[in-house]
Every structure is written in C-alpha cells, then in structure tokens.
Amino acid sequence: MPRPDYPPLYVLRHGQTEWNLADRMQGWQDSPLTHLGRAQALAQQRILFGILDGSQAARYSPSGRARATAQIALDQHFGTAIEDARLQEINVGDWTGCTPTEIAAEKAGIDPTEDWHMWKFGAPGGETLDEMTVRCRAVLDDLTKPTILVTHGVTSRLLRCLALGLSPEALGTLPGGQGVVHVVENGKARILGQ
C-alpha cells in the first residue's frame, strides 16, 4: 500500500483514566483522568513545547478524557484546537464498561491476549474496522498543515497505520503509550518521551 502524502502528525493518546486503571473498555463512553493521567498530559505538553512553535493545527476527540488531555497538553499554545468527532475511540457497543476477561468469558473464541486490538471490532452493536478506517482516513485527508491530534489508543494506531501507508489490520503492530507523542513524518514514525 503506497504511503499517502500527509503533513507531519503529532498524535497523542489521552492520559490514564479511572476505567483504564480498572481495565474497562470505554469506547464512546467516558471516565475522568487520574492523577497520573493529568501528569501524562503535562508530559505531552513539555514535549510539544520543546519541538513545535505553536503554528501547528490541533484537533481533539470530543470525549471528556481527550478534551481534558488537550486542554492540558495544548495549553492554548496551538491556537484554536478543533473538536473532531471522527477522532473518537472505537465504538465497542455492548462491551462498553466491560473488562476483556468478562468479554472472553461471555463470548467463546475471543482471546484478548492474542491480538489486543482486532477482536474489539467484533463487539455487538459496535464499530467495524472498515467503518473506523473511513472516518480516520477522512480526518487525515482534511489536513493541510502539520497537525496535533489528541485521540485514543485504537484510533491513534489506526491513524498512524493509514499515515504510514500500512494496512488497517496492522494497527496491533504499532506501539501505544500514554504521556508520549507519536510523530509521523515523511513515511517514518517515532515516539517522543520514552
């Protein structure tokens, strides 16, 4: 798959939340940032302020955890950040609020330890990989200059897959992380803050 010609991307996952701590699937629902989550957003702020000049565009998911992370990490330094619903996390439908262990016990054949991400696309009432790929590609296709994207774990990986010209099915091969900044530029990816 050829690599699309997107402007440089600075992708942030929201900081740790109460449900992250409890290993609960949040999807389109929300839980507040923990103390550590706020500290992770401050770490992202230091990284961004150390490498960017404030002229970059910024977009964030409308979920409370991403909005709170954007408020801390961007600190009004990057102009007017735009809320973009296409940056939401995968919709996990009926599995919202459940732990992977609860889901595996209820649905035979799911082993979250085998592929931590792809099985989430099988949630009853949830989102398919194709549906999520369409909305993530639409975000990238709208970008006209270097942009900071404040989003979620699965969404971050899928955005980076697409920006790198990888198949959407490869999203589980990309690293995650909270409190870091994923940079995708000129067909290469790197992580700042580890």
Side-chain angles (χ1 to χ4, degrees), residues 8-64:
L9 301 176
Y10 305 89
V11 184
L12 287 64
R13 180 184 177 196
H14 62 79
Q16 182 193 67
T17 68
E18 295 292 340
W19 277 18
N20 288 151
L21 205 52
D23 199 24
R24 297 212 169 273
M25 306 261 294
Q26 294 175 106
W28 287 6
Q29 293 300 311
D30 208 17
S31 69
L33 296 180
T34 62
H35 177 73
L36 175 59
R38 289 187 294 280
Q40 290 168 332
L42 278 171
Q44 291 168 323
Q45 179 194 81
R46 286 189 293 275
I47 294 166
L48 292 174
F49 284 23
I51 61 167
L52 302 178
D53 62 12
S55 66
Q56 295 74 19
R59 295 177 183 218
Y60 62 91
S61 162
S63 75

Side-chain angles (χ1 to χ4, degrees), residues 5 16 27 30 46 59-60 66-67 75 84 97 106 119 135 142 145 173 177 185-186:
D5 189 22
Q16 182 193 67
D30 208 17
R46 286 189 293 275
R59 295 177 183 218
Y60 62 91
R67 186 181 312 108
D75 190 35
D84 191 332
E106 183 178 299
W119 65 271
R135 71 175 163 93
D142 283 350
K145 67 181 196 174
T173 66
E185 186 173 12
N186 298 322

Side-chain angles (χ1 to χ4, degrees), residues 18-142:
E18 295 292 340
W19 277 18
N20 288 151
L21 205 52
D23 199 24
R24 297 212 169 273
M25 306 261 294
Q26 294 175 106
W28 287 6
Q29 293 300 311
D30 208 17
S31 69
L33 296 180
T34 62
H35 177 73
L36 175 59
R38 289 187 294 280
Q40 290 168 332
L42 278 171
Q44 291 168 323
Q45 179 194 81
R46 286 189 293 275
I47 294 166
L48 292 174
F49 284 23
I51 61 167
L52 302 178
D53 62 12
S55 66
Q56 295 74 19
R59 295 177 183 218
Y60 62 91
S61 162
S63 75
R65 61 195 186 270
R67 186 181 312 108
T69 299
Q71 287 171 341
I72 296 167
L74 304 180
D75 190 35
Q76 300 178 353
H77 183 71
F78 294 94
T80 305
I82 298 169
E83 183 176 288
D84 191 332
R86 299 171 300 180
L87 291 173
Q88 290 186 103
E89 181 59 298
I90 178 178
N91 179 359
V92 291
D94 294 349
W95 293 346
T96 301
C98 298
T99 67
T101 302
E102 292 167 344
I103 295 165
E106 183 178 299
K107 184 154 174 83
I110 289 182
D111 182 1
T113 61
E114 260 183 43
D115 184 338
W116 181 241
H117 301 291
M118 293 306 292
W119 65 271
K120 296 173 185 175
F121 293 101
E127 192 170 18
T128 67
L129 179 59
D130 287 344
E131 290 167 338
M132 193 169 179
T133 298
V134 167
R135 71 175 163 93
C136 286
R137 192 178 309 280
V139 170
L140 296 174
D141 288 346
D142 283 350

